[in-house]
Amino acid sequence: MNRPWTLLLLAWLVATTATLSALFLGEVMGMTPCVLCWYQRIFMFPLAIVLGIAAYLDDRRGAIYALWLSFGGLAIAAYHTLLVAGLIPKAWVPCSAGVSCADQKLEILNGVQIPWLSLAAFMALALLLIVYLRKSSR
């Protein structure tokens, strides 16, 4: 992995996989996302496009834009994860009507909940982009 471009490609694959997974859960499985899930989607969906263009052009500026989007999604995913884990008081739940943000019903891989997967995806994106930006500045 001597070429920094491969890091952009990996980041694009992570963002595209997360985007397609969210669309599968919502459109195919019929699961309505909660408010915090919608906010995370707002940050993730453009990442698939921005990182695709950045990887195609090997564009450092696209990676910078994507890094800020991944930080925003990471903050919301961390808050959502803490909420689901019960470490944030239920009074701070932003979901007043509709699907609950605190009570997640879907578990994958024997107990891993969707907010944890979102947090992992945003963390992976942030790390890949930071390493790419460091390597490409040399």
Side-chain angles (χ1 to χ4, degrees):
M1 233 202 288
N2 293 335
R3 295 183 54 207
W5 174 82
T6 54
L7 295 168
L8 273 183
L9 183 62
L10 285 173
W12 174 73
L13 288 172
V14 169
T16 302
T17 301
T19 297
L20 293 175
S21 299
L23 288 172
F24 177 79
L25 288 174
E27 301 303 319
V28 176
M29 293 186 64
M31 294 183 62
T32 305
C34 69
V35 172
L36 290 175
C37 289
W38 273 116
Y39 292 154
Q40 290 168 67
R41 287 177 178 205
I42 288 169
F43 283 99
M44 185 61 75
F45 288 5
L47 278 169
I49 297 167
V50 169
L51 287 170
I53 294 168
Y56 180 74
L57 299 174
D58 195 8
D59 183 15
R60 190 169 154 62
R61 290 176 301 170
I64 293 169
Y65 301 143
L67 182 61
W68 288 106
L69 283 169
S70 67
F71 283 154
L74 182 63
I76 294 171
Y79 179 79
H80 196 183
T81 301
L82 292 173
L83 188 64
V84 169
L87 300 174
I88 292 179
K90 299 283 184 188
W92 293 2
V93 176
C95 309
S96 58
V99 180
S100 172
C101 291
D103 298 323
Q104 296 292 310
K105 303 292 186 244
L106 181 65
E107 293 182 357
I108 298 175
L109 303 172
N110 207 14
V112 179
Q113 295 183 349
I114 298 300
W116 291 94
L117 293 174
S118 178
L119 180 68
F122 280 116
M123 286 178 75
L125 286 169
L127 289 174
L128 285 168
L129 290 169
I130 288 169
V131 171
Y132 168 78
L133 289 170
R134 285 191 178 172
K135 283 189 173 189
S136 66
S137 67
R138 295 179 189 174

